[in-house]
Amino acid sequence: MATFIIGDIHGCYDELCELLDKAALTSDDRIIALGDLYNRGPDPRGVYRWLRDTPQASSLMGNHEYYHLQTADGDIQASPTILLARWLLDEDYHAAVEHMRTLPLSIELDEAVLVHGFYEPEVQLSHQRPGMLLGLDEKEEELKDWFDRPWYELYDGEKPLIVGHRDYTGEQKVFIRKGRVYGLDTRCVYGGSLTGLMLPEWRFVSVPSRIKYWSMLRKRHGFT
Ligand SMILES: [Mn+2]
């Protein structure tokens, strides 16, 4: 049985479908998205319904899902990003938020550990703080203050680590750090590509983004 790991989808449903076609999965294969499923993209409802209706598919929680939960619980005010996704998810919004509550912060496979955001060096997986795994900005600041090198250069876990959330190459390309840390966020919603990684072969599959969606949607809806 293979496992297909997918980077940050951000509502890019057309590219998701194209990626799944290209990966030529069998019905036995497991699919795991790394989180940031909906925000900033054109079709979060398509992504939600795919996840809901595909038994072999699951997802981690990303920082953007966490923002939805915080907003729904009244802890923060809704940002334009949240409002757009809420509007596009429409009648599915409530169910989508309840589904977000169920998403895990990490998944450990035989071949690798998966998280959306960051991984604090010198701390084992079971003791990682939630905000670190989610990739919250304040945790990124802590990592910069505490360590003299990027966290991924200090990653000391037993298994390779697969993450989304950031484009560490700066070129919308897959990030590979010495076979130890793999970054799959190739920035589809910003005009890059959507990337998946097939395990246990460690084979990358990628499809180009069709449009710089977030730039387009920001202009269309007058967000600054
Ligand atoms: Mn993220």
Side-chain angles (χ1 to χ4, degrees):
M1 190 179 83
T3 306
F4 191 55
I5 320 288
I6 303 177
D8 306 37
I9 299 168
H10 279 291
C12 296
Y13 181 64
D14 289 344
E15 286 82 355
L16 172 64
C17 293
E18 200 181 329
L19 182 70
L20 293 170
D21 278 351
K22 193 171 173 182
L25 301 166
T26 73
S27 56
D28 291 337
D29 294 339
R30 186 176 178 191
I31 305 167
I32 304 175
L34 290 175
D36 285 2
L37 295 160
Y38 309 121
N39 285 2
R40 299 190 170 161
D43 191 1
R45 192 161 58 167
V47 176
Y48 170 66
R49 290 184 172 181
W50 166 77
L51 190 58
R52 183 191 66 186
D53 299 337
T54 307
Q56 70 266 39
S58 61
S59 180
L60 292 174
M61 187 187 295
N63 56 304
H64 281 277
E65 282 72 54
Y66 180 66
Y67 301 148
H68 278 284
L69 298 182
Q70 281 188 303
T71 307
D73 295 342
D75 297 335
I76 58 170
Q77 278 211 314
S79 65
T81 297
I82 293 284
L83 292 172
L84 177 67
R86 187 190 286 174
W87 180 64
L88 290 171
L89 278 157
D90 199 19
E91 78 263 24
D92 285 348
Y93 186 68
H94 180 72
V97 168
E98 291 312 304
H99 180 260
M100 290 177 211
R101 291 190 197 282
T102 70
L103 302 179
L105 299 177
S106 66
I107 292 177
E108 183 168 356
L109 304 174
D110 288 344
E111 303 91 347
V113 169
L114 319 181
V115 310
H116 175 72
F118 314 125
Y119 194 103
E120 186 175 339
E122 300 164 18
V123 177
Q124 52 181 284
L125 178 61
S126 58
H127 288 73
Q128 291 283 322
R129 291 171 293 162
M132 197 62 77
L133 301 179
L134 286 166
L136 301 187
D137 289 344
E138 65 262 27
K139 294 294 182 285
E140 192 165 38
E141 290 306 310
E142 281 183 16
L143 289 168
K144 282 179 188 157
D145 288 346
W146 294 356
F147 299 99
D148 60 358
R149 281 180 289 164
W151 67 267
Y152 50 77
E153 292 188 11
L154 300 165
Y155 174 68
D156 53 0
E158 275 176 38
K159 296 179 182 179
L161 182 72
I162 302 174
V163 300
H165 187 54
R166 286 273 182 267
D167 168 21
Y168 294 109
T169 68
E171 298 176 337
Q172 303 182 333
K173 298 256 167 44
V174 170
F175 174 79
I176 302 176
R177 170 77 192 173
K178 294 183 176 171
R180 298 284 294 144
V181 180
Y182 294 79
L184 303 190
D185 182 9
T186 48
R187 310 273 287 174
C188 191
V189 79
Y190 304 101
S193 60
L194 186 64
T195 296
L197 172 57
M198 190 75 86
L199 298 178
E201 306 138 70
W202 296 90
R203 176 168 58 90
F204 292 98
V205 185
S206 210
V207 297
S209 169
R210 298 178 185 186
I211 296 172
K212 291 181 179 175
Y213 293 107
W214 179 232
S215 173
M216 176 191 77
L217 289 165
R218 282 172 80 145
K219 290 194 187 85
R220 187 179 290 175
H221 296 283
F223 302 153
T224 51

